[in-house]
């Protein structure tokens, strides 16, 4: 971006400032323009130079992905529908002379509606970050100790374009999650990590009268240790909405054996009041193809076992073809297929 701004500003300046330094006004239809117009253009070129200079102090970046394809669920009235999602992350970052990083993220996301029509895109609530060495503080629309993947590998490996099956599909703990399309919990989290050890906690209040479980007072804590071929992690949470208080916890082990990446999940919660368990894995077939599978069992009595197996084929440049078939926790057959591309 700096090079582009410099080239644009150079073009403006050479139009209005010749080698002698005397201000001239370009002719239009054989007549000189008004001096005022020339000054306005000169001011604009100066502003571009300033913006180009300031971009070296702070960084603004864009990233995200798009996906589109077909989704099948025998439990829906419209069993087959189009699936589509657009996600754009806007990240701003700067760093003090002492090495303390300050950052903020906004997300724009559009998802298809249940009937298959496209939804409109909008901003979610921001998340603010302060980080130094192994410490990271986040405020606002945070991910909690379960959702952040810094300690427990909560979802594991999820097959398919829409990733509808995870190793935690039968777990019903009301974890704190980053909200891609809304305001989130407006909480605070603190992470400390070294090369092998991670510990994280988060807290959010009840938002002064807002109702709904997503606004209930919640705290979570998680920790993990990387032993090399295997990592072990655990997380515990407690939520109090003023009338009910529930607890939930997860134990997790994950690692790699040759071309196979795996994750084991065990959880219990005071919502379904039953233990849940799961396993997921990803196997590399050749250089560009992966087979991904996930299974979840246990949980509340009204839940079925959830399982799925899928294929992901990399086309290069962040583009992949993905698909899966399986059964969700409602006992319905599901499947999807389509294209996913990162940018």
């Amino acid at each position: 971006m700096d090079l582009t701004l410099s080239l644009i500003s150079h073009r403006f300046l050479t139009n209005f400032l010749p080698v002698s330094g005397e201000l001239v006004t370009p002719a239009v239809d054989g007549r000189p323009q008004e001096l005022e117009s020339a000054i306005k253009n000169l001011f604009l070129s100066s502003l571009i130079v300033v913006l180009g200079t300031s971009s070296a102090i702070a960084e603004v970046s864009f990233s995200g992905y798009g996906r589109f394809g077909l989704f099948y669920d025998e439990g829906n009235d419209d069993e087959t529908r189009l699936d589509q999602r657009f996600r754009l992350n806007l990240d701003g970052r700067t760093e003090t002379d002492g090495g303390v990083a300050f950052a903020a993220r906004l997300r724009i996301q559009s998802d298809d509606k249940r009937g298959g029509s496209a939804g409109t895109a909008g901003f979610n609530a921001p998340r603010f970050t302060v980080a130094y060495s192994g410490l990271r503080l986040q405020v606002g629309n945070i991910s909690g100790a379960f959702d952040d993947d810094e300690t427990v590998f909560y979802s594991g490996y999820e097959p398919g374009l829409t990733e509808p099956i995870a190793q935690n599909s039968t777990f019903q703990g009301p974890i704190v999650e980053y909200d891609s399309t809304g305001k989130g919990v407006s909480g605070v989290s603190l992470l400390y990590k070294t090369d092998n050890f991670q510990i994280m906690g988060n807290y959010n209040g009840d938002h002064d009268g807002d109702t709904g479980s997503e606004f209930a007072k919640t705290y979570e804590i998680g920790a993990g240790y990387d032993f090399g071929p295997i990592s072990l992690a655990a997380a515990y949470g407690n939520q109090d909405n003023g009338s009910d208080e529930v607890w939930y916890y997860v134990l997790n082990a994950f690692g790699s054996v040759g071309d196979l990446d795996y994750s084991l999940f065990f959880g219990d919660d005071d919502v379904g009041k039953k233990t849940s368990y799961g396993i997921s894995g990803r196997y590399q077939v050749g250089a560009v193809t992966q087979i991904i599978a996930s299974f979840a069992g246990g949980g509340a009595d009204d839940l079925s076992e959830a399982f799925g197996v899928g294929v992901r084929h990399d086309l290069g440049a962040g583009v992949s073809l993905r698909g899966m078939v399986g059964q969700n926790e409602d006992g319905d057959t599901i499947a999807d297929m389509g294209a996913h591309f990162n940018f």
Side-chain angles (χ1 to χ4, degrees):
M1 184 174 70
D2 294 345
L3 178 60
T4 303
L5 291 173
S6 298
L7 290 173
I8 294 173
S9 60
H10 174 74
R11 183 174 180 181
F12 273 107
L13 289 172
T14 52
N15 279 338
F16 297 106
L17 289 180
V19 178
S20 64
E22 179 185 356
L23 182 66
V24 296
T25 57
V28 178
D29 296 331
R31 300 186 310 274
Q33 289 184 347
E34 296 294 335
L35 181 60
E36 179 183 355
S37 176
I39 293 175
K40 286 181 179 179
N41 285 316
L42 182 59
F43 173 76
L44 178 59
S45 66
S46 301
L47 179 60
I48 292 173
V49 172
V50 172
L51 290 175
T53 304
S54 63
S55 66
I57 302 172
E59 302 172 4
V60 177
S61 61
F62 302 85
S63 63
Y65 71 83
R67 76 179 189 211
F68 57 90
L70 294 174
F71 183 84
Y72 171 81
D73 184 346
E74 70 171 348
N76 291 340
D77 293 335
D78 296 322
E79 294 182 347
T80 303
R81 61 170 173 81
L82 287 173
D83 175 83
Q84 48 195 326
R85 169 179 286 178
F86 171 82
R87 173 179 291 179
L88 178 64
N89 299 315
L90 291 77
D91 293 289
R93 184 184 183 278
T94 189
E95 188 171 309
T96 69
D97 294 339
V100 181
F102 287 78
R105 163 170 286 193
L106 280 173
R107 176 171 288 175
I108 302 173
Q109 181 162 308
S110 170
D111 290 287
D112 63 280
K113 298 178 181 178
R114 193 173 183 85
S117 60
T120 57
F123 285 100
N124 69 347
R127 181 183 68 199
F128 301 93
T129 302
V130 181
Y132 178 76
S133 187
L135 279 173
R136 187 197 70 189
L137 174 72
Q138 292 190 323
V139 177
N141 185 4
I142 62 169
S143 297
F146 291 75
D147 183 52
D148 200 88
D149 281 344
E150 289 288 355
T151 55
V152 295
F153 190 21
Y154 181 64
S155 297
Y157 299 98
E158 301 168 273
L161 177 70
T162 62
E163 301 179 337
I165 302 297
Q167 64 186 18
N168 60 14
S169 290
T170 56
F171 180 73
Q172 294 182 292
I175 70 168
V176 173
E177 298 179 270
Y178 178 78
D179 192 342
S180 293
T181 58
K183 57 186 176 180
V185 298
S186 189
V188 59
S189 70
L190 182 63
L191 168 71
Y192 174 73
K193 63 188 301 184
T194 64
D195 291 340
N196 300 102
F197 174 71
Q198 312 87 33
I199 185 168
M200 178 178 175
N202 57 278
Y203 173 83
N204 63 271
D206 59 7
H207 295 231
D208 296 327
D210 282 343
T211 58
S213 61
E214 67 268 31
F215 299 112
K217 182 170 63 176
T218 305
Y219 69 84
E220 297 174 342
I221 186 169
Y225 193 88
D226 181 7
F227 291 92
I230 189 171
S231 296
L232 300 178
Y236 174 85
N238 181 281
Q239 184 183 93
D240 184 358
N241 64 11
S243 57
D244 296 306
E245 184 175 356
V246 297
W247 51 262
Y248 47 98
Y249 70 85
V250 160
L251 305 176
N252 180 222
F254 54 97
S256 300
V257 179
D259 291 329
L260 174 66
D261 302 317
Y262 67 89
S263 177
L264 306 174
F265 176 95
F266 178 86
D268 198 0
D269 62 81
D270 202 23
V271 180
K273 300 186 183 299
K274 292 287 183 70
T275 59
S276 56
Y277 49 88
I279 183 171
S280 65
R282 178 180 63 191
Y283 184 74
Q284 190 74 35
V285 182
V288 296
T289 303
Q290 298 172 340
I291 297 175
I292 302 171
S294 188
F295 169 84
D301 293 335
D302 59 345
L303 297 179
S304 299
E305 291 181 341
F307 53 86
V309 60
V311 175
R312 181 179 300 177
H313 183 73
D314 184 12
L315 301 178
V319 181
S320 59
L321 300 178
R322 306 182 181 190
M324 64 82 63
V325 63
Q327 174 182 288
N328 63 20
E329 60 271 24
D330 295 324
D332 298 322
T333 299
I334 58 173
D336 68 19
M337 62 181 298
H340 176 111
F341 58 96
N342 298 316
F343 51 84

